[in-house]
Amino acid sequence: MSVGVLIAAAAIAAFIVIIMLIPVTFNIYFRYNNELEKSISVKYGFIRIPLRRGGGDKPDKPEPVGGAKNKTGKLSASAAVEFVRREKERVLNMISAVLGYMFGWMIKIKKLNIKLVIGVEDAMDTALIFGSASAVIFNILGIIDNKTRLCEHNADIKPAFNNPHVFAELDAVICTNIFHAAALAVIALRHALPIYVRLKKTGAKGER
């Protein structure tokens, strides 16, 4: 193999690696103050990718109740539930592996700011709701901080005793890259394929 071919192959490989390591940034913003405002954008490096709303999905036809498979070859709900129950350990291992990589390596939360002002007509109910909301939000933040690469984060939660209303705001910036997405796909497939093979065998037995 000539030196020119090796150089070209190395250049292509380096280009692919650079493309896969370019950060993909999701900017997520939600705000509720009598009405909902939301904004979600994606940036690939310095390129902003516009997000467009797609059309509504057509409703699925109801699955027939009965045997393990219907006429279209799909498992019935009862057969699917029974399969998941039998394969619970494999399914849980797959979920654990996927979520473990996703939160441990794939995503980095550069910013997570939460604001919540909550108040109802009754002051006692306001205090109870405020306490419950604070406990839930700070516990979730603690779990995220422990399991994920979390940088800037802040939670501002206040009760509204004198002016009952609800105001909520979420401002988040989440980063990843194509390499981590590809690695996650490989991990998911490695765990999902054996489950899928066993599912196909279950369906084949159900047809007999």
Side-chain angles (χ1 to χ4, degrees):
M1 187 177 293
S2 66
V3 176
V5 173
L6 290 176
I7 293 175
I12 293 172
F15 180 71
I16 293 173
V17 170
I18 291 172
I19 288 177
M20 296 187 72
L21 294 180
I22 291 176
V24 180
T25 304
F26 297 85
N27 293 272
I28 302 170
Y29 180 79
F30 288 94
R31 185 175 185 267
Y32 177 81
N33 188 17
N34 295 326
E35 61 181 18
L36 179 63
E37 300 176 21
K38 59 182 179 179
S39 173
I40 303 175
S41 63
V42 182
K43 285 175 58 178
Y44 178 66
F46 296 101
I47 303 172
R48 184 176 295 275
I49 303 173
L51 296 181
R52 298 178 180 177
R53 295 181 181 178
D57 295 331
K58 294 182 179 179
D60 295 331
K61 294 181 179 179
E63 296 288 342
V65 178
K69 279 197 172 188
N70 55 36
K71 293 181 180 179
T72 62
K74 295 181 180 179
L75 284 174
S76 66
S78 59
V81 170
E82 177 62 22
F83 175 80
V84 172
R85 188 188 65 80
R86 291 199 311 268
E87 302 295 327
K88 180 175 67 175
E89 184 175 350
R90 288 184 175 87
V91 172
L92 290 177
N93 286 339
M94 179 183 68
I95 294 173
S96 177
V98 169
L99 293 182
Y101 185 83
M102 180 184 296
F103 292 114
W105 298 94
M106 179 179 174
I107 64 174
K108 178 180 181 181
I109 303 177
K110 298 183 68 175
K111 180 173 70 172
L112 180 59
N113 293 330
I114 299 172
K115 292 183 180 179
L116 177 63
V117 179
I118 188 165
V120 295
E121 296 294 334
D122 187 272
M124 181 62 72
D125 289 341
T126 295
L128 291 174
I129 295 171
F130 167 74
S132 299
S134 299
V136 170
I137 290 173
F138 283 112
N139 280 331
I140 291 175
L141 283 176
I143 293 171
I144 293 175
D145 192 17
N146 185 44
K147 300 293 184 180
T148 311
R149 295 177 295 166
L150 177 61
C151 301
E152 174 192 340
H153 63 283
N154 181 55
D156 184 11
I157 308 171
K158 298 177 181 178
F161 292 109
N162 298 325
N163 180 25
H165 69 287
V166 175
F167 172 84
E169 187 178 57
L170 171 67
D171 188 11
V173 177
I174 301 174
C175 293
T176 185
N177 57 46
I178 297 176
F179 172 80
H180 284 309
L184 182 70
V186 170
I187 292 171
L189 284 173
R190 184 169 65 87
H191 287 82
L193 283 177
I195 296 175
Y196 178 74
V197 170
R198 295 175 70 86
L199 179 62
K200 295 291 287 185
K201 289 181 180 178
T202 299
K205 290 178 181 178
E207 287 183 314
R208 295 174 185 173

